Amino acid sequence: MVLFGAALAFYLAIVWAVLITSWLVRLDWQVMFFRPYQQWPEIHAFVDYYVVLGQRGPTAVMVAAWLGWRSWRQHTLRPLLALGVSLLLLNVTVGAAKYGMGRLGPHYATEIGSNEMWLGGDIFPSGHTANAVVTWGILAYLASTPRARRWLSALSAVTSLGVGLSTVYIGTHWLSDVILGWVAGLLILLALPWFEPVIARAEARILALRARRRAPRGDTEKAGAPGRPVALRPLPGRADTAPEPVPTGRPASRSPAYLAPGPHTTRAERSPVTPAGSRRPQHAERHPRGTTSAGRP
């Protein structure tokens, strides 16, 4: 809370200093007339490539690929969801400030010494700088060990610092644009812990939806819906046994085709039936099973 409040106060102070055309605006003009790209032309080619580390498209793809691999290894969606929330906050806050204040860049300045505000521009704060702070800083935010967090914090700080100064070197941003971009990105990283409950709920819903889609359809039918009423059917041939629960809403199982319709009993429970007029001839010497004949050799 202390860091967030201090960063927010510094953010508002920079905006106010530009609005009143203070010493910060004069410094912007001095750096612009210095023309760093003419002072050190030998590094111009390197800076042109280095500034890509602040472009939203390439950096988002690179970081999303790394965090996607981490999500697959750790079986969690939190890294990707945290990246999505941070980029959404970046687009909303920085985009609203850019178009709300409408400041023109050095290449389109109209009056020497003016703050170039409310003229339809979109460079205050610097989107490249804020994007570099958020995109590379999210790696330090999601680090799993304190040592990794320290190293990634230093790496993201150096990268975002270089991206901001690269835009000043090329001449696409005022120095105050870059300073405000650093603070804007830092505010988003400091606000991310407040969105952790939202990220956790979103992850739980996504995983539950995936589990329902992957579950076989027969599992839910066999198990039956919870709280579903059932009908009781007595077991056939046993009047003293407990009734068998049968789920309602489904047709009772039909008897096999080779059995007559109706309840069937086991072989031991059937009463013997002697057919009238057996087709086999009677044998006088045959005795009932279990007895022996005395005259048999």
Side-chain angles (χ1 to χ4, degrees), residues 44-246:
H44 200 294
F46 170 76
V47 173
D48 284 339
Y49 287 103
Y50 186 85
V51 78
V52 177
L53 295 177
Q55 290 185 1
R56 193 160 306 168
T59 56
V61 170
M62 289 187 289
V63 175
W66 168 255
L67 295 181
W69 180 81
R70 278 193 55 186
S71 296
W72 176 74
R73 287 292 302 271
Q74 299 175 357
H75 304 284
T76 176
L77 297 176
R78 179 175 173 262
L80 289 176
L81 292 176
L83 176 63
V85 170
S86 63
L87 293 180
L88 179 61
L89 292 175
L90 177 67
N91 291 332
V92 172
T93 58
V94 176
K98 277 175 171 288
Y99 291 102
M101 290 182 281
R103 191 182 190 187
L104 293 177
H107 294 315
Y108 303 97
T110 58
E111 183 182 352
I112 297 177
S114 66
N115 56 15
E116 302 297 324
M117 297 286 284
W118 325 114
L119 297 177
D122 57 350
I123 64 162
F124 187 64
S126 170
H128 270 66
T129 306
N131 181 73
V133 173
V134 172
T135 306
W136 302 111
I138 196 70
L139 298 180
Y141 177 81
L142 296 172
S144 55
T145 61
R147 182 180 179 182
R149 184 174 295 109
R150 287 193 298 267
W151 281 100
L152 289 174
S153 298
L155 180 62
S156 61
V158 172
T159 303
S160 58
L161 179 66
V163 168
L165 295 179
S166 298
T167 60
V168 176
Y169 171 87
I170 297 173
T172 57
H173 280 287
W174 305 100
L175 181 61
S176 57
D177 299 341
V178 173
I179 297 175
L180 195 65
W182 285 329
V183 182
L186 180 61
L187 284 173
I188 293 173
L189 292 179
L190 292 175
L192 268 182
W194 294 331
F195 292 88
E196 287 292 342
V198 178
I199 294 174
R201 288 195 295 267
E203 180 185 15
R205 292 182 180 180
I206 294 174
L207 293 179
L209 180 61
R210 185 184 67 175
R212 286 198 299 268
R213 289 188 175 183
R214 288 186 176 183
R217 296 181 180 179
D219 291 352
T220 55
E221 295 180 359
K222 291 179 182 179
R228 190 177 182 181
V230 295
L232 299 179
R233 181 182 65 188
L235 294 177
R238 298 186 181 183
D240 57 342
T241 58
E244 177 186 4
V246 178

Side-chain angles (χ1 to χ4, degrees), residues 13-15 17-18 21-29 103 124 175-177 179:
I14 296 172
V15 174
V18 173
T21 316
S22 66
W23 61 270
L24 187 57
V25 176
R26 294 194 297 269
L27 181 61
D28 288 339
W29 281 96
R103 191 182 190 187
F124 187 64
L175 181 61
S176 57
D177 299 341
I179 297 175

